[in-house]
Amino acid sequence: MFGLSRAEKLKKHFDKNGINTVGEITYIGNTPVDQFFAAQFGAQWEEKPPAITVKFKTLQGEDAEIQCRIVDNTYQAGEQVQIRYIKTENGYCGYILREEESSL
């Protein structure tokens, strides 16, 4: 074995240090970066699932947001979702929890 992959290390970090909370989806669609690369590369640019922006309050009461991508289209703007987040040097990183994860 060569140790854990980058994704496995990140999941382990989230499992150990992640904070679960409720957030509200405020935007679903392409990001400005997606739009830039699509304009630059046209048909060569591989379409990605839409970005979802979720706003939430941290444990310290600060307003924050994360962006993530979800392949299925089951979410709508204004919907409340369970998320898990961590603080990083550049803000916050996180993801929407699946139903089976939100009870953990």
Side-chain angles (χ1 to χ4, degrees):
M1 291 290 298
F2 291 103
L4 298 175
S5 71
R6 183 173 180 216
E8 290 168 328
K9 287 178 185 176
L10 186 59
K11 173 145 180 27
K12 190 174 181 179
H13 183 66
F14 267 107
D15 289 346
K16 181 179 177 186
N17 301 308
I19 300 166
N20 291 7
T21 192
V22 175
E24 181 179 339
I25 296 175
T26 58
Y27 175 79
I28 300 174
N30 289 332
T31 66
V33 172
D34 293 333
Q35 294 166 4
F36 171 80
F37 282 113
Q40 291 293 315
F41 298 106
Q44 295 174 338
W45 175 245
E46 182 180 331
E47 284 281 324
K48 297 191 175 353
I52 297 177
T53 301
V54 180
K55 289 195 176 199
F56 64 97
K57 287 229 182 259
T58 67
L59 287 177
Q60 295 77 25
E62 301 171 359
D63 290 329
E65 68 181 30
I66 59 170
Q67 278 192 335
C68 50
R69 295 189 188 270
I70 303 289
V71 176
D72 58 25
N73 293 323
T74 59
Y75 298 103
Q76 297 177 6
E79 184 176 349
Q80 299 284 313
V81 291
Q82 294 278 331
I83 64 168
R84 180 173 292 149
Y85 73 93
I86 57 174
K87 181 140 177 68
T88 66
E89 293 176 1
N90 299 322
Y92 295 91
C93 178
Y95 59 93
I96 297 173
L97 296 169
R98 295 185 179 99
E99 280 189 37
E100 61 271 12
E101 293 176 309
S102 61
S103 62
L104 298 176

